[in-house]
Amino acid sequence: MNARVLRCLGPVLLLVLLLTGTVSAADAAGSGYLSGYTEADPRPTAVSWWSTIAYLLSLFAVFAFVVIMAYMASRFLSGRFARTSEGQGGRILAHLPLGPNRSVCVVELAERVFMLGVTEHSITLLREVTDEDEIERLHRRELGNLPSADDLFSSQIGSLEQLAKRIPSMFRNGPYRR
């Protein structure tokens, strides 16, 4: 072995040997931590049942506290971030990413609709949308893009079903199969 490894492992091995020697000497003398144990009946007492119930109640209380705090945080954060896309009289009607840090946005500001080119360093007015039919189509598209709670729930259930279908195939041909 390398001398450097022996120098590092030497003190650790010495400490382990000293500790195990101390424990075995205490057990041999009968003065270990179980030497004064006199309870021979293995059945639980009434006090142990109450402590188990108290432990479970405290576990459920902590779980309920965490769920309530997560709900409050989601309510707080959804309120903060929902306001960022819809400011004072303005909102984003459409967004088309073109690459990293590049996109085209259709924005409504002060009852007017603008098409903007957005990069990391600049925002450029491409044109103002004045066609009423196009503006109406953008408004309908924005309202149609808002998912309902049922749509979100069904998409999450669908993704869980796909995962459940994939799990048996993962284990069927997996590296742990013989």
Side-chain angles (χ1 to χ4, degrees), residues 57-74:
L57 286 176
S58 66
L59 183 68
F60 288 128
V62 168
F63 179 73
F65 177 75
V66 168
V67 167
I68 289 169
M69 292 305 290
Y71 174 75
M72 292 175 66
S74 68

Side-chain angles (χ1 to χ4, degrees), residues 12-28:
V12 173
L13 289 175
L14 182 63
L15 182 64
V16 169
L17 287 174
L18 286 174
L19 288 177
T20 56
T22 306
V23 170
S24 62
D27 288 340

Side-chain angles (χ1 to χ4, degrees), residues 118-137:
V118 181
T119 65
E120 188 174 352
H121 300 290
S122 67
I123 299 174
T124 306
L125 175 64
L126 300 176
R127 73 180 186 102
E128 181 177 353
V129 180
T130 56
D131 185 19
E132 293 298 324
D133 293 334
E134 184 68 22
I135 293 172
E136 184 63 33
R137 188 181 68 79

Side-chain angles (χ1 to χ4, degrees), residues 10-131:
V12 173
L13 289 175
L14 182 63
L15 182 64
V16 169
L17 287 174
L18 286 174
L19 288 177
T20 56
T22 306
V23 170
S24 62
D27 288 340
S31 62
Y33 69 94
L34 291 177
S35 64
Y37 185 71
T38 59
E39 183 68 41
D41 189 12
R43 290 178 294 175
T45 63
V47 174
S48 67
W49 285 109
W50 284 112
S51 65
T52 303
I53 291 171
Y55 173 74
L56 289 175
L57 286 176
S58 66
L59 183 68
F60 288 128
V62 168
F63 179 73
F65 177 75
V66 168
V67 167
I68 289 169
M69 292 305 290
Y71 174 75
M72 292 175 66
S74 68
R75 295 277 297 186
F76 174 74
L77 291 176
S78 67
R80 294 283 181 185
F81 291 120
R83 289 188 207 119
T84 59
S85 66
E86 190 171 327
Q88 297 286 23
R91 62 184 170 177
I92 298 174
L93 297 177
H95 179 258
L96 175 66
L98 299 175
N101 300 326
R102 290 172 178 80
S103 63
V104 174
C105 294
V106 179
V107 179
E108 182 179 32
L109 290 171
E111 306 285 328
R112 296 170 64 188
V113 178
F114 302 103
M115 185 179 293
L116 305 173
V118 181
T119 65
E120 188 174 352
H121 300 290
S122 67
I123 299 174
T124 306
L125 175 64
L126 300 176
R127 73 180 186 102
E128 181 177 353
V129 180
T130 56
D131 185 19

